[in-house]
Amino acid sequence: MKNLRTQFNRFCLRNRDKGIPNLMLYITLGNAIVLLMSMINGGSFLYELLCFDKTKILQGQVWRLVTYVFTQSGGGFIELIFLYFFYMLGRYVELSMGTLKFNMFYLSGVVLMDIFAMIFCPTEPVIAGNYIFAVEYFQGLYASMAYYLHLSLILTFATTHPDSQFMIFFLIPVKAWLIALIYLVLTGIEVYNLASLGLFPHCLFPLVALGNYFLFTGGDIINVFPMSFRLKLARLFRKKPPQSPKVITFQTKEGPYRPTPKKEDFTHKCTVCGRTDVTNPELEFRYCSRCSGYHCYCIDHINDHTHVE
């Protein structure tokens, strides 16, 4: 699996400029047009035409499987600020990943949410515990697919730029990893609330929006935690250096067994006294020309030794 991911990353790196450049700009502009048209006309005709609706998709309106990315939940002019925020996040993530990888990242999120919604989005009222949930409830839940998809950009950005700062209200600096942790906590609370109502597997819907994140950058999720925590975790799992072998002494008849010392690496050794240029580097060594063979002597024995015949 690791080799497959490495090969995929190399492929994306070689072709990083292919695909639709500045994809998040087009998606943001599409959302802004849908939002402004809804505010001007006082209705939501364009929104209703593009949003995700399983019943209408089964009737043949298959474009809704893609166009729902332009229908982020409306909130007046404040929503325009959020759209600009998501555009900036997407732009930074694209510069970090490359155009091709970011296109595949966004497309995989769209496909994963489509698959989940087409399988589990009900077309009839659902009874869960003591409650009866109308179809409109689930339509409203699944209609926010674009919003959840864009929220995943926060976690992706925090993974690639964990120490970047956001200025809340243009005054309060907040680290990107802290916003990502808040997002994870809120997502967990939402999943828990839906699960407590007995809405399984619909409670997993907010997590599906993170599917593309775990596919592309999930291996670096540790980056969303504070640097101090990351350093402690690295020290905890750091490989310890190999320890020196322990010497065990065995008792023999001649006494405790001791391993034979390693042979010294010397160049010259006196044939008479056995001293070498390693044990006694202050000595001088000579070779006797009258001895038969190759015999070395120290300065003390070169003139006082029995010649080898």
Side-chain angles (χ1 to χ4, degrees), residues 42-80:
S44 56
F45 170 76
L46 188 57
Y47 175 87
E48 295 292 340
L49 182 65
L50 301 178
C51 69
F52 182 89
D53 191 322
K54 181 177 178 179
T55 303
K56 294 181 180 179
I57 292 174
L58 294 176
Q59 293 175 357
Q61 300 182 14
V62 293
W63 65 81
R64 296 177 182 270
L65 292 172
V66 179
T67 57
Y68 75 83
V69 300
F70 302 111
T71 60
Q72 185 171 308
S73 301
F77 286 104
I78 298 180
E79 185 65 26
L80 295 176

Side-chain angles (χ1 to χ4, degrees), residues 12-65:
C12 292
L13 184 61
R14 288 194 300 265
N15 303 276
R16 62 176 291 120
D17 296 329
K18 296 182 180 180
I20 304 175
N22 212 355
L23 175 64
M24 204 61 198
L25 174 62
Y26 304 121
I27 295 173
T28 303
L29 289 176
N31 277 277
I33 292 173
V34 173
L35 177 62
L36 293 175
M37 290 293 293
S38 300
M39 294 172 60
I40 293 173
N41 296 334
S44 56
F45 170 76
L46 188 57
Y47 175 87
E48 295 292 340
L49 182 65
L50 301 178
C51 69
F52 182 89
D53 191 322
K54 181 177 178 179
T55 303
K56 294 181 180 179
I57 292 174
L58 294 176
Q59 293 175 357
Q61 300 182 14
V62 293
W63 65 81
R64 296 177 182 270
L65 292 172

